[in-house]
């Protein structure tokens, strides 16, 4: 009986070749599966299958982690007792680089290799011997053209008609009317930016961008030296497909691609050319955010980490405690020159918090998989971050060591964080209201109420609605970022306060009636929110219904029937007929 060679019999190079091929094969299978799920989106939109698309969103999110874990397990069997040998992994990295060099998605493939490596080694910081640290790959080998170009269209309506017909969609409700109104919007924008009347050239992304119940056609037009973004957002109602909105400014397009939104489904095998194009429409958005917005979350995290390393290498600012009221569950810190915050879970939670560490982790996972409705900040989870100690304010180092010892280890040179969430930095709403002009404060407080309603429409109850847990983005939108008490709307029992004839009951420090753990009394929101004066008047004139249990119960009933409450990722003014 012939026995094949064991792991111990194989040379480092042979073993490295086997391991690299296994990872490359796993990545190819994952990339194919990712595209299969992504390509369903067009059918979902055409069939108005919004429930199916929501399921695809969750399925696609789960693909990556499951694949990386399975690959790490297989490698443990393949490499045997040499699975932790850095020399074998250095060889694997070199072979793998050659295997994926011809792909359209090489940068994603390198990130996948890093993910598998970290499953095996749980590397602290980065190890350039066995990880792709600063990739300079431009993945365009054999890529299909991402743009469709229209040269010197006869008129703006002709261009709009051609662009919409080239989507391949059928069943328009009133195609000619949409073309006329959309063309008029573009014409007014060209007139406003430079008195322009004709278009020299248009470039439009070939695949559509699908999310929720909408599809977007993304492009730009050039007239003379002026270039403006143009995005048509399409809706599919019971009576047909229509253009719901036309976005022609950087800010409006940026909000569509916001870090508070779920990820798009876009049928591209290699996203690098698309990300490059999107960056021309939204130059203030990070490359990391663009990858994440397209559903390439792990690579987006890779890009974010690389940007952080470059910032640290080129600057001298220190990590300091972030502005705002200190949280009872998280310690939050930031760099002045890098607009993200890092959030680390405390060892112990101050009163009256009764949540556990596991629940906090669970709530962040829920938000990651849920429709964020433009109101929940996307939080990227990082493990084993190693940051230079001399880039921390000394008082912050001491505070982290004292209050976050389960997650933070400090030595002479390094602050190592075993687990953190990284989010875009926003201005805490309570801070904003103290510093803002009265008109800006009023707009913010109105959008604060709308943010609560938008979350409810997506099935989310924020739990702790204090303004310190909300923030203001650079676009002036109100978002929520404190998830430890967040619940799905169906978990909550909204109740009216019982009547009583005893005046002492209303003055008691504790409820005089039974209260369950999931009971919420909206009438008490008035007292807890702490609004007074003009801001209270403004808020109650628009949002007094938030204090009525029947409002919340009505939302619960609507969601229970499976009906969607539409939340638009743009201003009402940009909708057709919205002016």
């Amino acid at each position: 009986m012939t026995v094949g060679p064991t792991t111990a019999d194989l040379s480092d190079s042979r073993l490295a070749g086997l391991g690299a091929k296994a990872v490359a094969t796993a990545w190819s299978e994952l990339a194919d599966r990712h595209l299969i799920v992504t390509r369903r989106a067009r059918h979902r939109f055409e069939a108005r299958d919004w429930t199916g698309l929501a399921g695809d969103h969750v399925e696609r999110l789960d693909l990556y982690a499951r694949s990386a874990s399975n690959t790490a397990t297989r490698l443990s069997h393949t490499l045997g007792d040499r699975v932790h040998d850095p020399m074998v992994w250095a060889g694997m990295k070199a072979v793998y680089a050659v295997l994926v060099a011809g792909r359209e998605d090489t940068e994603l493939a390198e990130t996948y290799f890093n993910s598998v490596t970290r499953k095996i080694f749980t590397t602290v910081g980065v190890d350039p011997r066995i990880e792709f640290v600063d990739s300079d790959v431009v993945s365009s080998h054999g890529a299909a053209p991402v743009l469709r170009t229209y040269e010197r269209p006869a008129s703006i309506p002709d261009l709009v008609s051609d662009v919409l017909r080239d989507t391949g969609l059928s069943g328009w409700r009133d195609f000619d009317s949409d073309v006329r109104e959309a063309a008029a919007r573009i014409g007014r924008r060209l007139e406003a930016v430079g008195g322009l009347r004709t278009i020299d050239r248009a470039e439009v992304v070939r695949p559509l961008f699908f999310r929720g119940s909408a599809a977007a056609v993304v492009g730009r037009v050039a007239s003379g030296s002026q270039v403006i973004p143009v995005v048509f957002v399409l809706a599919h109602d019971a009576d047909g497909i229509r253009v719901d909105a036309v976005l022609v400014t950087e800010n409006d397009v940026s909000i569509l691609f916001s870090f508070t939104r779920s990820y798009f489904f876009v049928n591209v095998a290699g996203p690098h050319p698309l990300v490059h194009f999107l960056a021309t429409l939204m130059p203030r958005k990070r490359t990391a955010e663009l990858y994440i917005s397209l559903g390439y979350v792990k690579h987006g995290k890779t890009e974010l980490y690389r940007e952080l390393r470059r910032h640290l290498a080129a600057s001298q600012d220190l990590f300091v405690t972030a502005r705002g009221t200190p949280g009872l569950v998280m310690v939050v810190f930031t760099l002045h020159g890098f607009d993200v915050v890092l959030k680390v879970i405390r060892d112990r939670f101050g009163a009256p918090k009764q949540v556990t560490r596991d629940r906090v982790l669970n709530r962040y996972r829920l938000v990651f998989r849920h429709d964020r409705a433009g109101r929940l900040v996307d939080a990227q989870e990082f493990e084993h971050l190693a940051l230079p100690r001399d880039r921390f304010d000394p008082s912050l180092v001491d505070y982290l060591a004292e209050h976050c010892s389960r997650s933070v280890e400090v030595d002479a040179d390094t602050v190592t964080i075993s687990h953190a969430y990284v989010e875009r930095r926003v201005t805490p709403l309570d801070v904003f209201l103290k510093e803002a002009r009265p008109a800006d404060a009023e707009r913010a407080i109105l959008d604060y109420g709308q943010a609560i309603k938008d979350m409810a429409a997506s099935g989310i109850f924020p739990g702790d609605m204090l303004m310190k847990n909300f923030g203001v983005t650079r676009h002036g939108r109100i978002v929520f970022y404190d998830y430890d008490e967040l619940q799905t709307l169906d978990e909550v029992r909204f109740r009216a306060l019982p009547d009583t004839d005893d005046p002492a009951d209303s003055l008691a420090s504790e409820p005089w009636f039974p209260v369950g753990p999931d009971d919420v009394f909206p009438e008490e929101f008035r007292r807890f929110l702490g609004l007074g004066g003009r801001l209270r008047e403004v808020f109650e004139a628009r949002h007094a219904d938030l204090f009525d249990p029947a409002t919340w119960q009505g939302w619960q009933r609507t969601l229970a029937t499976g009906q969607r409450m539409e939340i638009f990722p743009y201003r009402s003014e940009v909708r057709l007929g919205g002016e």
Side-chain angles (χ1 to χ4, degrees):
M1 179 177 179
T2 303
V3 179
T6 66
T7 299
D9 298 325
L10 299 177
S11 66
D12 285 356
S13 59
R14 174 62 175 154
L15 206 55
L18 290 173
K21 185 176 180 180
V23 180
T25 300
W27 168 249
S28 182
E29 292 172 351
L30 171 60
D32 288 347
R33 186 62 190 168
H34 181 99
L35 275 178
I36 288 170
V37 178
T38 296
R39 287 168 179 160
R40 290 180 196 154
R42 183 182 182 97
H43 169 73
R44 303 291 193 195
F45 179 79
E46 292 173 334
R48 302 181 66 242
D49 182 6
W50 316 132
T51 301
L53 190 63
D56 291 341
H57 169 71
V58 174
E59 179 181 348
R60 193 175 67 167
L61 286 176
D62 290 342
L63 287 174
Y64 194 101
R66 184 166 59 246
S67 173
S69 293
N70 290 343
T71 302
T73 300
R74 287 197 296 271
L75 282 175
S76 295
H77 293 302
T78 299
L79 304 182
D81 58 4
R82 293 154 75 186
V83 69
H84 293 104
D85 186 337
M87 292 299 295
V88 171
W89 278 85
M92 282 175 56
K93 177 188 170 187
V95 176
Y96 184 83
V98 174
L99 292 174
V100 301
R103 294 183 60 96
E104 297 178 53
D105 58 2
T106 304
E107 79 276 30
L108 309 183
E110 291 181 348
T111 289
Y112 183 76
F113 185 90
N114 292 352
S115 297
V116 174
T117 301
R118 286 176 167 265
K119 293 285 185 183
I120 301 290
F121 285 91
T122 61
T123 309
V124 173
V126 294
D127 186 343
R129 298 174 302 165
I130 62 175
E131 293 181 84
F132 294 94
V133 178
D134 290 308
S135 177
D136 58 0
V137 169
V138 176
S139 300
S140 57
H141 181 84
V146 73
L147 301 178
R148 182 179 287 114
T149 302
Y150 303 82
E151 297 284 359
R152 297 193 176 278
S155 68
I156 298 177
D158 285 338
L159 172 64
V160 173
S161 178
D162 288 345
V163 168
L164 295 182
R165 290 188 190 282
D166 285 343
T167 64
L169 296 172
S170 59
W172 295 85
R173 187 183 68 177
D174 191 341
F175 185 84
D176 292 339
S177 175
D178 284 350
V179 167
R180 285 194 300 271
E181 192 166 353
R185 293 290 182 89
I186 297 170
R188 288 196 291 272
R189 178 59 179 166
L190 287 172
E191 180 73 27
V193 299
L196 305 170
R197 298 181 183 277
T198 60
I199 291 174
D200 299 324
R201 176 186 177 91
E203 294 174 309
V204 176
V205 177
R206 288 176 178 272
L208 295 173
F209 292 63
F210 296 98
R211 184 177 63 197
S213 60
V217 185
V218 177
R220 65 187 178 191
V221 299
S223 180
S225 62
Q226 295 289 336
V227 179
I228 65 169
V230 175
V231 175
F232 305 105
V233 183
L234 312 179
H236 192 180
D237 302 328
D239 52 355
I241 296 172
R242 59 183 173 82
V243 178
D244 186 70
V246 182
L247 313 182
V248 290
T249 69
E250 177 194 339
N251 279 353
D252 283 330
V253 176
S254 181
I255 291 171
L256 183 69
F257 284 80
S258 170
F259 59 91
T260 60
R261 296 281 170 189
S262 299
Y263 312 132
F264 284 107
F265 290 79
V266 187
N267 181 19
V268 289
H272 183 272
L274 177 56
V275 168
H276 178 75
F277 177 76
L278 293 175
T280 69
L281 308 184
M282 299 167 280
R284 289 187 287 179
K285 271 205 184 295
R286 285 198 169 94
T287 298
E289 289 184 20
L290 294 174
Y291 272 104
I292 290 170
S293 73
L294 299 176
Y296 301 104
V297 181
K298 287 293 185 180
H299 188 69
K301 286 173 56 176
T302 296
E303 291 288 344
L304 180 58
Y305 180 69
R306 288 170 178 167
E307 290 180 37
L308 173 59
R309 290 180 69 245
R310 289 194 291 268
H311 176 82
L312 290 172
S315 66
Q316 296 182 332
D317 52 336
L318 300 180
F319 285 106
V320 295
T321 302
R323 297 179 75 195
T325 305
L328 299 175
V329 172
M330 297 278 196
V331 174
V332 185
F333 55 97
T334 188
L335 286 160
H336 286 306
F338 198 72
D339 64 345
V340 302
V341 295
L342 287 80
K343 303 171 69 170
V344 180
I345 301 176
R346 293 175 179 270
D347 296 335
R348 293 171 296 279
F349 305 151
K353 294 290 185 181
Q354 297 181 346
V355 296
T356 64
R357 183 184 181 91
D358 284 345
R359 176 170 173 88
V360 174
L361 297 171
N362 176 269
R363 296 296 90 180
Y364 276 81
R365 281 193 290 269
L366 186 154
V367 170
F368 177 66
R369 295 158 62 89
H370 199 274
D371 177 7
R372 287 185 289 280
R375 299 299 186 173
L376 300 171
V377 174
D378 194 10
Q380 299 303 321
E381 195 170 8
F382 280 80
E383 294 180 318
H384 310 300
L385 279 173
L387 301 169
R389 177 172 177 165
D390 62 4
R391 298 304 297 272
F392 281 75
D393 181 278
S395 63
L396 175 59
V397 173
D398 293 341
Y399 195 87
L400 289 169
E402 180 180 356
H403 296 279
C404 304
S405 61
R406 289 184 62 183
S407 301
V408 178
E409 182 178 335
V410 179
D411 62 28
D413 300 314
T414 307
V415 176
T416 302
I417 303 171
S418 64
H419 184 272
Y421 293 105
V422 178
E423 299 175 355
R424 267 285 295 275
R425 187 173 65 216
V426 295
T427 304
L429 179 56
D430 57 338
V431 173
F432 180 87
L433 293 177
K434 292 175 184 176
E435 300 173 347
R437 295 175 302 179
D440 292 334
E442 290 182 14
R443 278 193 291 271
I445 208 66
L446 287 175
D447 199 45
Y448 163 64
Q450 189 59 49
I452 296 170
K453 291 179 176 179
D454 286 350
M455 283 188 278
S458 70
I460 290 293
F461 177 62
D464 190 343
M465 296 199 299
L466 295 178
M467 280 173 281
K468 69 182 181 68
N469 299 321
F470 290 77
V472 186
T473 72
R474 65 182 174 89
H475 297 296
R477 287 178 57 80
I478 306 303
V479 297
F480 185 64
Y481 51 67
D482 192 327
Y483 303 147
D484 54 270
E485 293 190 20
L486 177 146
Q487 294 176 274
T488 56
L489 212 62
D490 58 5
E491 295 175 322
V492 184
R493 183 185 180 205
F494 294 100
R495 295 177 55 190
L497 289 170
D499 295 325
T500 178
D501 296 326
D502 187 347
D505 288 338
S506 61
L507 300 176
S509 59
E510 298 293 332
W512 51 271
F513 50 87
V515 177
D518 297 317
D519 286 350
V520 170
F521 300 89
E523 294 159 271
E524 295 188 318
F525 294 166
R526 275 191 176 91
R527 178 162 56 92
F528 291 144
L529 296 184
L531 286 172
R534 174 62 180 165
L535 290 184
R536 176 168 179 161
E537 293 176 9
V538 169
F539 185 86
E540 294 203 9
R542 178 82 61 85
H543 297 303
D545 53 343
L546 289 173
F547 307 137
D548 185 352
T551 298
W552 295 89
Q553 293 162 0
W555 288 329
Q556 287 177 316
R557 287 193 296 272
T558 298
L559 291 169
T561 65
Q563 296 182 56
R564 293 179 56 86
M565 293 186 280
E566 202 66 56
I567 304 165
F568 298 103
Y570 35 77
R571 299 173 295 121
S572 60
E573 293 85 352
V574 303
R575 301 187 67 198
L576 296 197
E579 293 181 328

